[in-house]
PDB file of all heavy atoms in Angstrom:
ATOM      1  N   THR M1550      -4.713  16.794  -8.811  1.00 95.00           N
ATOM      2  CA  THR M1550      -3.631  17.695  -9.178  1.00 95.00           C
ATOM      3  C   THR M1550      -2.938  18.319  -7.915  1.00 95.00           C
ATOM      4  O   THR M1550      -3.549  18.322  -6.839  1.00 95.00           O
ATOM      5  CB  THR M1550      -4.218  18.808 -10.047  1.00 95.00           C
ATOM      6  OG1 THR M1550      -3.171  19.644 -10.560  1.00 95.00           O
ATOM      7  CG2 THR M1550      -5.194  19.749  -9.256  1.00 95.00           C
ATOM      8  N   PRO M1551      -1.663  18.630  -7.994  1.00 97.00           N
ATOM      9  CA  PRO M1551      -0.970  19.262  -6.872  1.00 97.00           C
ATOM     10  C   PRO M1551      -1.388  20.645  -6.668  1.00 97.00           C
ATOM     11  O   PRO M1551      -1.590  21.377  -7.622  1.00 97.00           O
ATOM     12  CB  PRO M1551       0.517  19.139  -7.254  1.00 97.00           C
ATOM     13  CG  PRO M1551       0.485  19.166  -8.731  1.00 97.00           C
ATOM     14  CD  PRO M1551      -0.757  18.522  -9.190  1.00 97.00           C
ATOM     15  N   LEU M1552      -1.601  21.052  -5.403  1.00 95.00           N
ATOM     16  CA  LEU M1552      -1.991  22.391  -5.123  1.00 95.00           C
ATOM     17  C   LEU M1552      -1.423  22.858  -3.759  1.00 95.00           C
ATOM     18  O   LEU M1552      -1.426  22.076  -2.782  1.00 95.00           O
ATOM     19  CB  LEU M1552      -3.580  22.461  -4.948  1.00 95.00           C
ATOM     20  CG  LEU M1552      -4.192  23.901  -5.054  1.00 95.00           C
ATOM     21  CD1 LEU M1552      -3.899  24.625  -6.361  1.00 95.00           C
ATOM     22  CD2 LEU M1552      -5.683  23.734  -4.939  1.00 95.00           C
ATOM     23  N   ASN M1553      -0.890  24.064  -3.728  1.00 96.00           N
ATOM     24  CA  ASN M1553      -0.363  24.618  -2.518  1.00 96.00           C
ATOM     25  C   ASN M1553      -1.435  24.580  -1.449  1.00 96.00           C
ATOM     26  O   ASN M1553      -2.645  24.859  -1.756  1.00 96.00           O
ATOM     27  CB  ASN M1553       0.102  26.064  -2.827  1.00 96.00           C
ATOM     28  CG  ASN M1553       0.711  26.700  -1.608  1.00 96.00           C
ATOM     29  OD1 ASN M1553      -0.038  27.117  -0.653  1.00 96.00           O
ATOM     30  ND2 ASN M1553       2.010  26.851  -1.584  1.00 96.00           N
ATOM     31  N   CYS M1554      -1.090  24.263  -0.245  1.00 94.00           N
ATOM     32  CA  CYS M1554      -2.105  24.049   0.874  1.00 94.00           C
ATOM     33  C   CYS M1554      -2.907  25.381   1.037  1.00 94.00           C
ATOM     34  O   CYS M1554      -4.167  25.312   1.270  1.00 94.00           O
ATOM     35  CB  CYS M1554      -1.369  23.720   2.125  1.00 94.00           C
ATOM     36  SG  CYS M1554      -0.840  21.993   2.140  1.00 94.00           S
ATOM     37  N   THR M1555      -2.260  26.503   0.948  1.00 92.00           N
ATOM     38  CA  THR M1555      -3.019  27.780   1.060  1.00 92.00           C
ATOM     39  C   THR M1555      -4.022  27.927  -0.097  1.00 92.00           C
ATOM     40  O   THR M1555      -5.145  28.329   0.178  1.00 92.00           O
ATOM     41  CB  THR M1555      -2.048  29.010   1.164  1.00 92.00           C
ATOM     42  OG1 THR M1555      -1.123  28.830   2.182  1.00 92.00           O
ATOM     43  CG2 THR M1555      -2.744  30.283   1.296  1.00 92.00           C
ATOM     44  N   ASN M1556      -3.623  27.585  -1.280  1.00 90.00           N
ATOM     45  CA  ASN M1556      -4.543  27.671  -2.447  1.00 90.00           C
ATOM     46  C   ASN M1556      -5.696  26.790  -2.205  1.00 90.00           C
ATOM     47  O   ASN M1556      -6.796  27.043  -2.724  1.00 90.00           O
ATOM     48  CB  ASN M1556      -3.791  27.412  -3.696  1.00 90.00           C
ATOM     49  CG  ASN M1556      -2.970  28.630  -4.174  1.00 90.00           C
ATOM     50  OD1 ASN M1556      -3.161  29.739  -3.703  1.00 90.00           O
ATOM     51  ND2 ASN M1556      -2.072  28.370  -5.096  1.00 90.00           N
ATOM     52  N   LYS M1557      -5.468  25.595  -1.704  1.00 86.00           N
ATOM     53  CA  LYS M1557      -6.514  24.617  -1.458  1.00 86.00           C
ATOM     54  C   LYS M1557      -7.504  25.184  -0.469  1.00 86.00           C
ATOM     55  O   LYS M1557      -8.744  25.032  -0.659  1.00 86.00           O
ATOM     56  CB  LYS M1557      -5.978  23.227  -0.985  1.00 86.00           C
ATOM     57  CG  LYS M1557      -7.100  22.302  -0.635  1.00 86.00           C
ATOM     58  CD  LYS M1557      -6.752  20.925  -1.103  1.00 86.00           C
ATOM     59  CE  LYS M1557      -7.941  20.003  -0.888  1.00 86.00           C
ATOM     60  NZ  LYS M1557      -7.697  18.640  -1.265  1.00 86.00           N
ATOM     61  N   ILE M1558      -7.004  25.800   0.563  1.00 82.00           N
ATOM     62  CA  ILE M1558      -7.953  26.381   1.650  1.00 82.00           C
ATOM     63  C   ILE M1558      -8.777  27.432   0.962  1.00 82.00           C
ATOM     64  O   ILE M1558     -10.038  27.588   1.152  1.00 82.00           O
ATOM     65  CB  ILE M1558      -7.138  26.873   2.850  1.00 82.00           C
ATOM     66  CG1 ILE M1558      -6.585  25.778   3.537  1.00 82.00           C
ATOM     67  CG2 ILE M1558      -8.030  27.790   3.723  1.00 82.00           C
ATOM     68  CD1 ILE M1558      -5.521  26.106   4.609  1.00 82.00           C
ATOM     69  N   LEU M1559      -8.160  28.283   0.183  1.00 80.00           N
ATOM     70  CA  LEU M1559      -8.916  29.393  -0.475  1.00 80.00           C
ATOM     71  C   LEU M1559      -9.883  28.757  -1.532  1.00 80.00           C
ATOM     72  O   LEU M1559     -11.003  29.348  -1.659  1.00 80.00           O
ATOM     73  CB  LEU M1559      -7.932  30.299  -1.233  1.00 80.00           C
ATOM     74  CG  LEU M1559      -6.946  31.152  -0.278  1.00 80.00           C
ATOM     75  CD1 LEU M1559      -5.912  31.862  -1.058  1.00 80.00           C
ATOM     76  CD2 LEU M1559      -7.815  32.054   0.694  1.00 80.00           C
ATOM     77  N   THR M1560      -9.580  27.782  -2.290  1.00 78.00           N
ATOM     78  CA  THR M1560     -10.445  27.250  -3.185  1.00 78.00           C
ATOM     79  C   THR M1560     -11.622  26.600  -2.520  1.00 78.00           C
ATOM     80  O   THR M1560     -12.767  26.779  -2.939  1.00 78.00           O
ATOM     81  CB  THR M1560      -9.690  26.075  -4.037  1.00 78.00           C
ATOM     82  OG1 THR M1560      -8.603  26.609  -4.744  1.00 78.00           O
ATOM     83  CG2 THR M1560     -10.613  25.352  -5.007  1.00 78.00           C
ATOM     84  N   LEU M1561     -11.417  25.928  -1.432  1.00 72.00           N
ATOM     85  CA  LEU M1561     -12.522  25.414  -0.703  1.00 72.00           C
ATOM     86  C   LEU M1561     -13.417  26.507  -0.059  1.00 72.00           C
ATOM     87  O   LEU M1561     -14.694  26.327  -0.023  1.00 72.00           O
ATOM     88  CB  LEU M1561     -12.055  24.436   0.499  1.00 72.00           C
ATOM     89  CG  LEU M1561     -11.439  23.140   0.045  1.00 72.00           C
ATOM     90  CD1 LEU M1561     -10.817  22.414   1.246  1.00 72.00           C
ATOM     91  CD2 LEU M1561     -12.511  22.269  -0.629  1.00 72.00           C
ATOM     92  N   ALA M1562     -12.827  27.608   0.344  1.00 68.00           N
ATOM     93  CA  ALA M1562     -13.585  28.750   0.908  1.00 68.00           C
ATOM     94  C   ALA M1562     -14.530  29.241  -0.233  1.00 68.00           C
ATOM     95  O   ALA M1562     -15.732  29.565   0.162  1.00 68.00           O
ATOM     96  CB  ALA M1562     -12.639  29.808   1.464  1.00 68.00           C
ATOM     97  N   VAL M1563     -14.039  29.376  -1.343  1.00 68.00           N
ATOM     98  CA  VAL M1563     -14.905  29.928  -2.458  1.00 68.00           C
ATOM     99  C   VAL M1563     -16.002  28.965  -2.786  1.00 68.00           C
ATOM    100  O   VAL M1563     -17.157  29.376  -2.906  1.00 68.00           O
ATOM    101  CB  VAL M1563     -14.006  30.166  -3.762  1.00 68.00           C
ATOM    102  CG1 VAL M1563     -14.863  30.425  -4.980  1.00 68.00           C
ATOM    103  CG2 VAL M1563     -13.037  31.318  -3.508  1.00 68.00           C
ATOM    104  N   TYR M1564     -15.624  27.707  -2.812  1.00 68.00           N
ATOM    105  CA  TYR M1564     -16.686  26.637  -3.112  1.00 68.00           C
ATOM    106  C   TYR M1564     -17.769  26.679  -2.034  1.00 68.00           C
ATOM    107  O   TYR M1564     -18.990  26.632  -2.333  1.00 68.00           O
ATOM    108  CB  TYR M1564     -16.027  25.275  -3.171  1.00 68.00           C
ATOM    109  CG  TYR M1564     -17.042  24.110  -3.377  1.00 68.00           C
ATOM    110  CD1 TYR M1564     -17.432  23.809  -4.723  1.00 68.00           C
ATOM    111  CD2 TYR M1564     -17.561  23.408  -2.363  1.00 68.00           C
ATOM    112  CE1 TYR M1564     -18.396  22.837  -4.941  1.00 68.00           C
ATOM    113  CE2 TYR M1564     -18.478  22.415  -2.585  1.00 68.00           C
ATOM    114  CZ  TYR M1564     -18.843  22.186  -3.875  1.00 68.00           C
ATOM    115  OH  TYR M1564     -19.763  21.149  -4.046  1.00 68.00           O
TER     116      TYR M1564
END
Side-chain angles (χ1 to χ4, degrees):
T1550 188
L1552 195 61
N1553 181 286
C1554 290
T1555 302
N1556 284 344
K1557 177 140 186 180
I1558 291 167
L1559 294 173
T1560 299
L1561 288 173
V1563 168
Y1564 179 84

